[in-house]
Amino acid sequence: MIEGILIGLTTALTLQNILMVMVGCFFGTIIGMLPGLGPMTAIALMIPITYGFEPATGLILMAGVYYGAVFGGSTSSILLNAPGVPGTVATSFDGYPMAQQGKAGKALAIAAWSSFAGGTLSAIYLLFMAPSLSKVSLSFRSPDYFALMILGLTAIAAFSSKGQFLKAMMMVVLGLMLASVGQDSLSDITRYTFNNMNLTDGISFVLVVMATFAMSEALTIILKRNDPTSAAKQVSLTELGSIKINKEERTKMYKTIPRSSVIGFLIGVLPGAGATIASFLAYGMERNVVSDEEKEKFGKGSVNGLSAPETANNAACSGSFVPMLTLGIPGSGTTAVMLGALLGFGVQPGPRLYMTNPEIFWSIIMSMYIGMVILLILNLPLIPYIARILAVPKNYLIPLILFFSVTGIYVMSFNNFDIYLMIGIAVVATFLRLYDFPMPPLILAFVLGGLMEENLRRSLLLSNGSWEFLWDRTLTACILATTILIVVWHIYKTLKRKN
């Protein structure tokens, strides 16, 4: 392994590859800030360019774009409540409220340090555990995935403040209904399509996020008739530029980052999971383990609530390289595109890749360390300037948000129907927001709903319709037992408080 690391370092530290990391991180950050584009589109566009490079150089460039986009996606989530990439949706839950309180610079700094720490720790895990973890990830079966999704739904409690649990549950049902639109994955039956061909493939996750967060945010401000200019002036430029993290906040981050990086990395290793699910699970789990006092701050600008998803989504990015490189199975949509590029280079991924092509395997891992440092250097000095976006009067900002939302969705599909659908969902979401229905449970259910149904049905098929699959496998039973323990613990704490 030492020899492989040295080969990787030698390859990654060439002038050309360092330049590729810098270019990838810079463009990834910009793309991540623009809602609707995302790293997958950017990497797909880069494939023809990278074919002129060595395979290692091309993959280093694409990897830089990938984690740069996730890094940059947090900026629009925090400042505009418009997640640039799906993996940063959970970042907006506490990042945006923190920005509204005049702590935009601090929120961006917490996100930057958490992303850096999550990505770096994950690269260390990848360095030592990649070959053995590929075997573990293969042991996951449909019942285990289903149990994992159920565990993820315990995060609903994190999104419902006092007296809003019923509303949160109603939003979960709505999210599950939206997730079930389109053709059934195991048959040719279509659901909730109303004979409209445009709905046959279901509803895009980015479309739902843009409608429920960015567009409905803009419509809510308009309907509430807030004075946009005075609202912007309430936040002083001095507060915007502050990126200092005090001792108490650092202490919270020191506790959150290690556990969220482990969750993010392990979820990233699982084929088909990815940064979005990792960030939601880390957010929910963090809320489950903090004190009661800290729980009350979730959704209102919690340091733990911001640090957890930012750490996890970057850790998941590195983790998703494990199944791609060692098994040839993409861990996410973005790594699926990168896998196609890898095969286009004539490189066959597999368990022996780190021995047959060490310059590719190890140079990607080594370039991640360099990339994380570059992203931190690139973003931290710019935070005071980026944060000043909030000082722009909202009567200019709102049209920009609407413009980026519409163009972002149109660029994804070039289909006018998606724009009409987004506007329709945004109108409904705005109405619900005015009556204090929380949006995060809807997004959580939409993310987990499709995977949960698919794995449940596959499990039932494999067990001939029997529900014994829930306790037949030790791993499934352990995950479900953990879920039950968390729920029972919450009920016990609630009853104790009432008494």
Side-chain angles (χ1 to χ4, degrees), residues 305-337:
L306 173 58
S307 180
E310 271 304 297
T311 305
N313 61 25
N314 270 270
C317 285
S318 304
S320 65
F321 280 86
V322 173
M324 185 192 86
L325 294 174
T326 60
L327 299 172
I329 300 172
S332 63
T334 309
T335 50
V337 177

Side-chain angles (χ1 to χ4, degrees), residues 263-338:
I263 292 172
F265 181 70
L266 293 178
I267 296 298
V269 167
L270 298 176
T276 309
I277 291 175
S279 60
F280 275 102
L281 286 176
Y283 187 86
M285 289 301 288
E286 189 63 23
R287 202 254 183 195
N288 286 333
V289 299
V290 296
S291 64
D292 290 344
E293 186 185 352
E294 287 300 322
K295 275 180 191 169
E296 295 298 322
K297 297 178 184 174
F298 269 65
K300 303 170 187 171
S302 163
V303 173
N304 302 79
L306 173 58
S307 180
E310 271 304 297
T311 305
N313 61 25
N314 270 270
C317 285
S318 304
S320 65
F321 280 86
V322 173
M324 185 192 86
L325 294 174
T326 60
L327 299 172
I329 300 172
S332 63
T334 309
T335 50
V337 177
M338 293 178 69

Side-chain angles (χ1 to χ4, degrees), residues 57-108:
T57 305
L59 284 167
I60 284 172
L61 173 64
M62 288 189 273
V65 172
Y66 185 21
Y67 44 75
V70 176
F71 209 98
S74 60
T75 304
S76 52
S77 291
I78 291 169
L79 297 182
L80 306 175
N81 202 21
V85 293
T88 60
V89 173
T91 303
S92 63
F93 298 159
D94 282 285
Y96 185 62
M98 200 178 280
Q100 286 183 310
Q101 295 161 17
K103 299 175 184 173
K106 180 170 288 191
L108 289 169

